[in-house]
Amino acid sequence: MLQIIVYPIITILAYLVGSLSAAIITCKVMGLPDPRTTGSNNPGATNVMRIGGKKAAAITLVGDLLKGLIPVVIVKLIFPTESLLIALTALAAFLGHLFPVFFQFKGGKGVATALGCIIGLNLWVALCAFGTWLVVFALSRISSLSALTAAIIAPIYLWLFNASISVVIAVVIMDILLIIRHKANIQRILKGEEKKLTSKK
């Protein structure tokens, strides 16, 4: 009965929360251009920084992270033993960010929301993934490469911390979608054309 009634309801609610695009809402409230039509046309924190500065980008980043974190934490508190439901909640929130029903299904690349989901799933895994990001960024100064490396290795960390197979599979699916979303970045990385962030930036 739980799986028949509760699972679909919670999964849909998580997707709707994920569909709340922090970038688009922040830009609208602050009187900035729509991030889907300006700069890189990506509704994410990096593009918001280009068009609105650090404050708008920080709000966007926190918002995107929280919409992945909050649904997972709530479900874990209410249904701590339902690992499949927890995994579906994380995946649904992430998919909401990528394909937001409120914004013509034009979402961002998903890094911040994925991080929020992973923090909710396992804080230690999130810290390990963040540590991986820091190491790769220190060596490369390429944000996209750092994010992709951390995301790809996250399922391994989850496995090492004895996460359920459903949670590991959910994060692997997120990784695949992240790679697809970063196809252009990956092509630039392979060509040596991806921009590096300077210490000033």
Side-chain angles (χ1 to χ4, degrees), residues 30-88:
M30 298 182 70
L32 300 170
D34 190 327
R36 295 169 295 176
T37 59
T38 309
S40 65
N41 300 323
N42 177 58
T46 301
N47 195 34
V48 171
M49 178 176 286
R50 292 190 187 101
I51 63 180
K54 294 180 180 179
K55 182 178 178 180
I59 295 172
T60 299
L61 181 64
V62 172
D64 283 344
L65 189 149
L66 288 177
K67 69 185 185 182
L69 172 63
I70 292 175
V72 174
V73 170
I74 290 175
V75 172
K76 281 184 69 176
L77 289 173
I78 299 175
F79 305 102
T81 62
E82 296 293 326
S83 59
L84 177 58
L85 179 58
I86 294 168
L88 289 173

Side-chain angles (χ1 to χ4, degrees), residues 48-188:
V48 171
M49 178 176 286
R50 292 190 187 101
I51 63 180
K54 294 180 180 179
K55 182 178 178 180
I59 295 172
T60 299
L61 181 64
V62 172
D64 283 344
L65 189 149
L66 288 177
K67 69 185 185 182
L69 172 63
I70 292 175
V72 174
V73 170
I74 290 175
V75 172
K76 281 184 69 176
L77 289 173
I78 299 175
F79 305 102
T81 62
E82 296 293 326
S83 59
L84 177 58
L85 179 58
I86 294 168
L88 289 173
T89 299
L91 185 57
F94 178 76
L95 289 173
H97 176 78
L98 265 58
F99 310 104
V101 67
F102 303 124
F103 301 101
Q104 296 78 51
F105 302 101
K106 297 179 180 179
K109 294 183 178 180
V111 174
T113 302
L115 176 60
C117 291
I118 292 173
I119 292 173
L121 292 171
N122 190 308
L123 178 59
W124 292 109
V125 169
L127 291 173
C128 289
F130 181 64
T132 301
W133 187 96
L134 288 175
V135 171
V136 177
F137 184 75
L139 294 173
S140 68
R141 309 302 296 181
I142 301 176
S143 179
S144 58
L145 177 61
S146 307
L148 285 169
T149 304
I152 290 171
I153 204 170
I156 299 175
Y157 290 140
L158 283 166
W159 177 74
L160 291 174
F161 280 94
N162 298 316
S164 69
I165 186 63
S166 56
V167 167
V168 174
I169 290 174
V171 176
V172 168
I173 294 172
M174 289 183 196
D175 283 350
I176 293 171
L177 293 171
L178 281 171
I179 291 171
I180 293 172
R181 285 284 185 166
H182 285 80
K183 181 180 178 181
N185 301 86
I186 294 171
Q187 291 174 339
R188 289 194 295 268

